[in-house]
Amino acid sequence: MINALLIGLIAGVGILDERVLGSTLFGRPLFLSVFVGLVLGDLKQGIIIGAQLELVWMGIAGIGASTPPDYVTGGVIGTALAIMSGKGIGIALAIAVPVAVLAQSLGVLVRVVNLYFSHKADKYAQKADFKGVALMLWVPTTLFFFSTFIPTFLAMILGASRINDIVNAIPKVILNGLTVAGNLLPAVGFALLLDMLFSKKMMVFFFLGFLLASYLKLDITAIALLGTCVAIIINLYMNQNNSDKDLINETQEDNANSKLTKGDINIE
Amino acid sequence: MNKTIDKKTLHSVFWRSFALQGAFNYEKMQNIGYAYAMTPVIKKLYDKENDQAEALKRHLALFNSTPAVTPAIMGISTAMEEQNANHSGTFDASSINAVKAALMAPLAGIGDSLFFGTFRVIAAGIGISLAQKGSILGPILFLVLYNIPNFAARIWGLKYGYKVGVSSLEKLQKNGLMDRIMSIVGIIGMMVVGGMVATMLVVQTTIKFSMAGATVKIQSIIDQIIPNLLPLLITLFVFYLIRKKVSISKLTVGILIIGILAHVVGIL
């Protein structure tokens, strides 16, 4: 019971990261799973599961007006039940991925209900009632909190005692298959990132990063640092070209500039 | 008697800007969060209830942008409100919202690809690679690495936006600094994603066949030609499907099922 409350609280506070706590990303599975692991007494497993969940949801971010799958509820429930069952990453993913999609509808519901508070805020504004407007911020915030706290709390109360029976009833080949499937899932995250950063000219850097890791066995930190150098070098040359042209014709420089950069990063 | 915004008020706007999405709704998005953040400025500049109400209503208009770059827009709004309060009658108050509306979309485009597409990806790439080994350093490094640019953009954006006012962001875009930063981080982001595909997507085929009495494993042949070829091909295929507008939920669930099936029949 206390564990269920604590795990529920982790999910409740986790959703507030992107709401009222400055989007510092502490609500991402990579960080939140640490606390789930702490509460359940298996910190290491929590960290490892969190890493795999982060990979799966790598490409998911609340951009624009869209409501993404609720990785907070999905991640916390998935991590917690997987640690309890002792069966690891495969089970975590099998639970987390569908739960996140289901929980998304609660997030949508809150955003619809918030229309009411938005209209009420307009009324408070008429009277210059600052406290009223602030209240119209904090009530929806509370709703967001409960939209993840309640399902997580319930899942812990209802699922914790049964998760072992359920997991034991699943044939071993399917369980192993889940782990294989779980290893495949990050492909979606990477593809989404590519989609976000995509432009034809930039694709070569994707392959460069891939080759550096595949053949030279460089790790991510090394690639990020090397990438910084490559990017700066390219920029130096780009600027030199530009300033050469600058002497001849200014409009030409504008053209070169837009050719090299404007289309490069493009969110569609 | 001119009214000016002091440091204390700006600090208050800074902290309140964290709550930008607390009352997110589908009609006016982050409007209540924006008005909440502007409240100290409005209270400081206007004494009459009527003026306060007008200002509150102004900032309850539709707003949607990347949280990390929004303080910069708030800084500009603050500078404009200050002008409005000191030159009421000559200053066109409607220009305050016109500027907000003109800035939020382009800044969201830059902000999303910088913060979600690049800084987050680099931080997560490094964090995950450590967390997969169960190291607590992974999650911590993830949070620290992401929040350095996050806080820098928030603090510097608000200050610069207020000091230089409307012309500031236009100037930034005109002199090409923004484009240059975008292209640099875009290159790093692409390389990191490529490296992650090679190191974090574990896909190995178990297919083997007998030839002249010897068992030939397909995977070892692939490894000799291009290591990690399968992860690369799968990522590119999913990327292709995303470009073809296949929904993410379908893709995720589909891969989960395909992964299990592929294991059951013995391909993966």
Side-chain angles (χ1 to χ4, degrees):
Chain A
M1 185 69 187
I2 289 173
N3 272 0
L5 262 176
L6 283 175
I7 304 279
L9 269 178
I10 293 173
V13 176
I15 195 76
L16 296 186
D17 169 34
E18 287 205 61
R19 299 294 120 214
V20 292
L21 296 173
S23 302
T24 58
L25 298 194
F26 77 80
R28 297 289 304 188
L30 181 56
F31 203 76
L32 225 47
S33 292
V34 173
F35 294 95
V36 179
L38 264 182
V39 168
L40 296 177
D42 195 343
L43 180 62
K44 197 173 174 191
Q45 193 65 16
I47 296 171
I48 293 172
I49 292 174
Q52 193 65 19
L53 288 173
E54 187 66 42
L55 274 179
V56 171
W57 287 318
M58 191 91 212
I60 290 174
I63 288 178
S66 64
T67 307
D70 183 357
Y71 52 76
V72 174
T73 309
V76 170
I77 293 180
T79 309
L81 291 182
I83 292 179
M84 286 173 178
S85 73
K87 285 286 196 298
I89 288 172
I91 285 295
L93 289 163
I95 297 168
V97 169
V99 166
V101 175
L102 284 177
Q104 181 182 2
S105 53
L106 275 176
V108 172
L109 183 71
V110 175
R111 286 167 176 81
V112 171
V113 172
N114 286 351
L115 287 176
Y116 169 77
F117 297 107
S118 170
H119 292 161
K120 261 193 112 168
D122 290 337
K123 286 202 186 104
Y124 282 121
Q126 293 281 10
K127 295 176 278 173
D129 182 349
F130 291 101
K131 283 208 178 98
V133 173
L135 192 67
M136 291 307 102
L137 179 82
W138 296 113
V139 173
T141 302
T142 317
L143 292 184
F144 275 119
F145 172 85
F146 283 114
S147 78
T148 54
F149 172 79
I150 292 172
T152 310
F153 178 68
L154 288 180
M156 288 304 109
I157 294 243
L158 300 174
S161 55
R162 271 165 243 171
I163 184 70
N164 279 318
D165 299 337
I166 297 170
V167 170
N168 286 333
I170 304 173
K172 196 153 186 269
V173 66
I174 301 284
L175 269 183
N176 288 339
L178 272 174
T179 310
V180 169
N183 285 336
L184 278 177
L185 278 177
V188 181
F190 297 144
L192 275 170
L193 286 177
L194 273 184
D195 186 50
M196 185 146 78
L197 296 164
F198 180 77
S199 79
K200 280 195 183 113
K201 283 180 206 127
M202 297 289 270
M203 231 21 212
V204 66
F205 295 108
F206 167 76
F207 290 114
L208 181 60
F210 173 82
L211 295 175
L212 286 174
S214 278
Y215 285 105
L216 300 182
K217 310 283 174 226
L218 293 185
D219 63 18
I220 298 298
T221 315
I223 291 176
L225 292 173
L226 209 70
T228 314
C229 296
V230 170
I232 290 172
I233 292 169
I234 289 175
N235 247 273
L236 285 177
Y237 278 98
M238 213 167 75
N239 276 346
Q240 205 152 40
N241 283 345
N242 284 345
S243 47
D244 286 350
K245 274 177 199 155
D246 195 26
L247 296 170
I248 309 162
N249 189 336
E250 216 177 339
T251 46
Q252 229 169 19
E253 182 228 26
D254 277 344
N255 284 341
N257 218 340
S258 62
K259 241 182 234 159
L260 278 161
T261 49
K262 274 219 180 104
D264 286 350
I265 300 159
N266 196 350
I267 293 205
E268 285 166 42
Chain B
M1 197 177 66
N2 270 2
K3 297 205 167 184
T4 49
I5 297 293
D6 53 359
K7 259 207 168 119
K8 205 176 132 234
T9 315
L10 275 185
H11 282 173
S12 179
V13 173
F14 173 77
W15 291 113
R16 280 168 175 251
S17 76
F18 280 38
L20 182 67
Q21 309 201 77
F24 194 98
N25 61 80
Y26 284 129
E27 192 181 54
K28 297 181 181 169
M29 323 268 174
Q30 305 158 336
N31 64 331
I32 300 178
Y34 201 96
Y36 178 75
M38 290 300 291
T39 296
V41 172
I42 300 170
K43 276 188 183 163
K44 182 95 189 165
L45 290 176
Y46 303 102
D47 300 322
K48 284 190 219 132
E49 191 187 298
N50 200 19
D51 292 340
Q52 291 185 342
E54 281 306 310
L56 255 184
K57 276 195 277 181
R58 238 191 324 271
H59 293 294
L60 278 172
L62 182 147
F63 187 84
N64 199 26
S65 196
T66 311
V69 300
T70 300
I73 306 180
M74 288 170 175
I76 293 172
S77 290
T78 305
M80 293 181 82
E81 288 289 356
E82 193 181 86
Q83 288 231 322
N84 185 43
N86 292 326
H87 307 277
S88 59
T90 54
F91 189 86
D92 180 10
S94 68
S95 67
I96 297 173
N97 267 356
V99 167
K100 266 165 70 183
L103 286 176
M104 65 184 182
L107 274 188
I110 296 170
D112 284 346
S113 49
L114 274 185
F115 286 91
F116 294 132
T118 313
F119 294 137
R120 181 179 60 101
V121 173
I122 296 169
I126 293 169
I128 290 171
S129 62
L130 290 167
Q132 279 178 329
K133 297 172 203 134
S135 164
I136 184 77
L137 251 163
I140 293 173
L141 216 55
F142 164 66
L143 213 65
V144 172
L145 285 178
Y146 177 76
N147 280 301
I148 293 171
N150 182 31
F151 274 79
R154 282 169 178 275
I155 296 169
W156 183 78
L158 183 64
K159 261 194 197 162
Y160 194 75
Y162 171 65
K163 212 167 85 188
V164 192
V166 194
S167 60
S168 61
L169 287 159
E170 277 177 355
K171 220 191 291 171
L172 262 187
Q173 286 215 296
K174 278 238 173 76
N175 69 16
L177 181 65
M178 221 57 218
D179 279 344
R180 250 154 65 198
I181 294 175
M182 290 277 285
S183 79
I184 287 181
V185 296
I187 289 172
I188 307 169
M190 273 303 218
M191 282 180 63
V192 168
V193 176
M196 285 200 290
V197 169
T199 54
M200 291 172 185
L201 195 57
V202 188
V203 188
Q204 292 201 316
T205 176
T206 49
I207 301 176
K208 53 187 168 191
F209 55 87
S210 301
M211 206 168 59
T215 331
V216 180
K217 282 187 186 160
I218 297 284
Q219 185 61 47
S220 54
I221 297 175
I222 295 174
D223 286 344
Q224 278 167 21
I225 311 167
I226 302 179
N228 305 313
L229 180 64
L230 287 180
L232 179 66
L233 291 180
I234 289 170
T235 305
L236 290 177
F237 180 64
V238 178
F239 172 58
Y240 168 80
L241 291 178
I242 290 173
R243 288 261 140 178
K244 290 277 163 224
K245 306 278 174 229
V246 180
S247 87
I248 309 304
S249 309
K250 267 188 210 151
L251 271 176
T252 323
V253 177
I255 285 187
L256 208 56
I257 293 168
I258 290 170
I260 296 171
L261 288 180
H263 180 70
V264 172
V265 301
I267 301 175
L268 295 176

